[in-house]
Structure formats: structure tokens, C-alpha cells
Amino acid sequence: MKILVTGAAGFIGARLSERLLERGDTVLGYDNLNDYYDPTLKDARLQRLHAHTGFSFVRGALEDRDALDAAFAGFEPQRVVNLAAQAGVRYSLQNPHAYVQSNLVGFMNILEACRHRGVEHLIYASSSSVYGGNRKLPFAVEDSVDHPLSLYAASKKANELMAHTYSHLYRLPTTGLRFFTVYGPWGRPDMALFQFTRKILAGEPIDLFNNGQHTRDFTYIDDIVEGVIRTLDHVPGPDPLYDAMQPNPATSDAPYRVYNIGNNAPVQLLEYIEVLERALGRKAERRLLPLQPGDVPDTFADVSALQRDVGYAPSTPVETGIASFVAWYRDYYGV
């Protein structure tokens, strides 16, 4: 297939593009290569992708409607995976306008391009952050998600609502994936595992918010990508069991789905740190701090809907995943 992947220089986008190329798909990557984190890491990911003959790349922002339309017109994708977004809960408190431009205006441009170009299926990144103030665990796609705790979370919930509108009005098949704390080799430097590893190796203290009592459904990158590909290949139709008198937020009488994609096995942050310490062969100096604004105490994905519909089955324990990350980190940075 011809697949457009936005955010192709990002953590998930690069690994997904690699897997699609390995199976024989033709991939157009689209990314603005911004400096939210070190662009040289993004460049290194792209260099690996350019080794594949089926890969091409366009530099552009989602909010640049003309550039995005030109990419669609030139490539004519059959399916689209929209992973480009302004990420980060904490950064959304500092620069909220960036989230409006990328995650709302940009996603609007994606929807319009998919509508007018007859795209067969749009997959887009949502986030576990949409569960916000919910405390019932595990988080299920059937739950209400009307209490976001950050603008980032609100923008991802808005994406789901916007996608449903296009699925309803134009019969555009859309699938939203609520990612749960993705980690692994080639990860994002702003994520906890990356920061903890750098600081422990440098002999610097690490900050553990909520006194390290967080639990997170840490999900290894390869498990995530396997789930994305299975979902990409499974084009949704109207749910024959959908009942408008008792609506299920995750399905519709339109070709629309929302799924959790996580490990279904939450780990306390303190335990995660202990696994990392063993992989590094060093102990961390810990600073215990209170819960930060915008953060949620716990995440735990109910992935039964994704298991039922596409056979999703995450299989990587944190010990294996962290060891793989540490081996990559030491090799990439020479430490």
C-alpha cells in the first residue's frame, strides 16, 4: 500500500515507517522537524529510513495547509497514519498556542485532505491523557472522558470528536489510538526513561513526582507498532451493535473506532526505576516531589476491544524493554 505517515521522524512514526517498509509498503514521511527536542535524533531516525527504496520524505507542518495538500496530491496515499502533534503534558502549560496550531488546526487539515483525496482509512494518535480525572481502573474506551487535566489532553479528545464528525458526514473510516506511555530504543528525550537514564549515568539526581507513587502502563515500542499496523489493516465500518439510546463512546453507526493501545500491566514508577538501575548497574539519587499540575496519578489500559478486533497482544515485559533501551542508549551516545 501507499501510506502517508505524519510525524515520521518521531519516535513511533520512525519505527512504524520502518516496519511498513520492511513488509513492502511505500511510505511518504511528513514531519516539520521542530526543535521541541534534539533535531539531530530525528535526523538520525530519518537516515535509517532513507536506506529503504520505498521511502520518501517531505518537510512540512500540519498547520501548513498548502504544504500538506501538496504532499497528498503528489503521493496519493491509500491510507494515512497521523502521528504528528505537539506532544507533552507539561509543555502544554507553558505554550498552549502550539497545541492549538498543531493538534487542532493541523488535524483539521489532515481530515480535509483525507476527505478530498478519498483516503481509505485514517489512523490518528490520541492519548491516555484523555482519561484525565478518571480514577476507575483500568481505563476503558467505553468510559466517559470529559474531564481532561491539561490542554494537551483536551486537544486529543477534540481530535476524537473531529474524527467522528468526518466519519459521520463523509463516511471517512477513522480509528483513534490512545497510546499509553510508549518507551524503547530511539525514544523521545523528554520522556521519563530517557531523562532518568541520562541523569543516572551523569551522577545527577532524578526527580520522582508524586513521591514515585505513580503507576504507568509502560508499553514497549514494538508492541505499539504491531498494534498500529494491525489496526491500519482493519478498516472500520459502522458498528452493527451501536445503540443511539445507549451510545458507546468508542464506536458509532459511522465508520469510526477508538481503542486503547497499552501493555495492560501497570508498573509503579519506583519499581520501574529499580529495573533501570539494574540494567545500568548504577543506583539513582532520588528526589521525591509532589504531583505536578496536569499529571494523572495512574494509568492502566483495558485493551480488550483491540484484542477482540485485531488480535492485539502486547508481550514485552519492562525488564526486556528497559534492557533494550539501555543497550541502544549506550551505543548511540557512546556511554
Side-chain angles (χ1 to χ4, degrees):
M1 289 186 290
K2 296 175 67 176
I3 301 170
L4 177 86
V5 178
T6 73
F11 175 29
I12 301 173
R15 183 66 182 124
L16 171 66
S17 297
E18 187 175 36
R19 281 284 307 279
L20 293 172
L21 291 162
E22 287 170 353
R23 77 173 194 172
D25 292 321
T26 301
V27 175
L28 174 65
Y30 187 93
D31 199 298
N32 68 355
L33 300 177
N34 67 27
D35 61 358
Y36 172 66
Y37 62 80
D38 184 8
T40 60
L41 181 60
K42 300 178 182 182
D43 290 336
R45 296 185 187 124
L46 283 178
Q47 287 177 18
R48 289 162 53 88
L49 295 175
H50 279 299
H52 296 266
T53 56
F55 182 75
S56 55
F57 179 74
V58 171
R59 181 170 183 173
L62 294 185
E63 54 268 37
D64 185 341
R65 183 175 174 184
D66 290 339
L68 189 66
D69 286 346
F72 270 79
F75 184 62
E76 297 183 336
Q78 293 164 271
R79 300 186 185 181
V80 174
V81 184
N82 182 54
L83 300 174
Q86 179 56 61
V89 168
R90 292 167 192 169
Y91 187 60
S92 69
L93 277 66
Q94 303 167 28
N95 190 3
H97 292 287
Y99 293 76
V100 172
Q101 288 302 311
S102 179
N103 300 5
L104 299 180
V105 175
F107 191 63
M108 180 74 230
N109 292 339
I110 286 283
L111 288 168
E112 276 288 278
C114 288
R115 168 197 171 194
H116 289 292
R117 295 289 170 182
V119 167
E120 300 170 355
H121 188 192
L122 167 63
I123 302 280
Y124 61 94
S126 185
S127 169
S128 61
S129 298
V130 300
Y131 289 102
N134 291 19
R135 296 306 303 271
K136 179 187 78 64
L137 297 174
F139 295 148
V141 289
E142 294 81 13
D143 297 338
S144 168
V145 287
D146 291 333
H147 299 87
L149 301 183
S150 67
L151 186 67
Y152 170 68
S155 73
K156 289 300 186 178
K157 170 61 176 174
N159 286 172
E160 296 176 5
L161 297 173
M162 294 162 73
H164 185 271
T165 302
Y166 273 66
S167 293
H168 171 74
L169 290 175
Y170 309 114
R171 314 316 286 179
L172 171 66
T174 66
T175 301
L177 294 174
R178 294 173 177 170
F179 292 110
F180 280 70
T181 317
V182 189
Y183 75 101
W186 296 96
R188 274 174 32 204
D190 64 316
M191 297 292 283
L193 178 60
F194 212 109
Q195 294 188 29
F196 292 156
T197 299
R198 181 185 62 79
K199 289 185 176 183
I200 292 171
L201 289 173
E204 300 174 7
I206 61 173
D207 294 336
L208 301 182
F209 295 98
N210 200 33
N211 299 308
Q213 300 302 307
H214 280 328
T215 59
R216 289 289 181 268
D217 207 345
F218 296 103
T219 314
Y220 189 62
I221 181 62
D222 287 351
D223 290 333
I224 286 286
V225 168
E226 177 64 26
V228 175
I229 290 175
R230 286 172 178 259
T231 308
L232 176 68
D233 293 342
H234 183 81
V235 181
D239 181 0
L241 301 179
Y242 181 77
D243 181 357
M245 296 300 292
Q246 295 180 301
N248 174 357
T251 72
S252 177
D253 56 1
Y256 168 90
R257 295 291 187 281
V258 171
Y259 296 109
N260 288 333
I261 184 164
N263 198 44
N264 193 227
V267 175
Q268 191 178 64
L269 185 57
L270 289 174
E271 180 184 344
Y272 197 69
I273 294 298
E274 291 170 1
V275 174
L276 177 58
E277 289 173 331
R278 291 195 292 271
L280 290 170
R282 300 193 186 187
K283 298 293 287 184
E285 179 186 344
R286 309 176 187 189
R287 289 194 299 212
L288 301 181
L289 299 170
L291 187 69
Q292 288 197 117
D295 278 0
V296 299
D298 307 290
T299 67
F300 180 1
D302 177 346
V303 297
S304 57
L306 198 58
Q307 289 173 331
R308 178 195 67 226
D309 290 352
V310 303
Y312 173 70
S315 60
T316 309
V318 291
E319 293 80 5
T320 301
I322 287 177
S324 295
F325 172 80
V326 167
W328 168 80
Y329 187 96
R330 286 188 178 278
D331 177 69
Y332 184 78
Y333 289 102
V335 292

